[in-house]
Amino acid sequence: MKQTSRTMSARKHVALVAHDHYKDALSEWVKEHQDVLSQHELYATGTTGHILARKTGLTITPLISGPMGGDQQLGAMISEQKIDAMIFFWDPLNAVPHDPDVKALLRVSTVWNIPVATNRATASFLITSPLFGQEVDIQIPDYQAYLDERL
């Protein structure tokens, strides 16, 4: 597929997601990086969003719970270029009923070339990168060219 670019603003739209066994770990990580995260627009799936907002006081736009469609809702936002980065404390050792949705979310994140951290170490590397607070151009699929060729 042909590529084009889009510019992420310095104020990123960041998705925060955690599987059940990782909600506390994500809460701790968000508290550690609260000063940086407060400079960005935050979104989170269901329970995770409510826990993070309560524990940190940060303004977080809530989505539906992951198993109830929140993963798909987030995937749609990524494909609409409304999310710039995703921090997903994913539990690779526990199967979840909505595992196909999780895989689809990770796939669409890759398709649309957004930075994704699936563990604490990577999340810390991502948020401390100088690019996190800067305007950045990224390559994305040229969906309009794709449609023009097919129609």
Side-chain angles (χ1 to χ4, degrees), residues 80-131:
E80 294 168 345
Q81 301 172 41
K82 294 178 180 175
I83 297 293
D84 299 315
M86 181 169 63
I87 309 297
F88 186 171
F89 279 30
W90 171 53
D91 187 350
L93 300 178
N94 284 315
V96 293
H98 64 291
D99 197 51
D101 298 335
V102 172
K103 287 189 171 116
L105 177 58
L106 293 171
R107 181 186 137 325
V108 78
S109 300
T110 301
V111 167
W112 289 96
N113 197 27
I114 69 161
V116 176
T118 58
N119 58 48
R120 186 182 197 109
T122 310
S124 295
F125 271 80
L126 176 63
I127 200 168
T128 58
S129 165
L131 298 176

Side-chain angles (χ1 to χ4, degrees), residues 39-101:
Q39 299 169 36
H40 301 278
E41 296 289 327
L42 305 176
Y43 303 81
T45 52
T47 310
T48 302
H50 294 291
I51 290 170
L52 293 175
R54 186 178 71 239
K55 288 188 174 184
T56 66
L58 290 169
T59 300
I60 299 173
T61 300
L63 305 177
I64 299 168
S65 174
M68 302 299 291
D71 294 332
Q72 292 179 355
Q73 183 182 19
L74 183 53
M77 292 175 73
I78 290 167
S79 66
E80 294 168 345
Q81 301 172 41
K82 294 178 180 175
I83 297 293
D84 299 315
M86 181 169 63
I87 309 297
F88 186 171
F89 279 30
W90 171 53
D91 187 350
L93 300 178
N94 284 315
V96 293
H98 64 291
D99 197 51
D101 298 335

Side-chain angles (χ1 to χ4, degrees), residues 4 6 8 13 16 26 36 51 55 73 104 135-136 147:
T4 188
R6 84 168 173 105
M8 291 183 186
H13 294 258
L16 301 167
L26 181 61
V36 174
I51 290 170
K55 288 188 174 184
Q73 183 182 19
E135 189 173 277
V136 178
L147 287 176

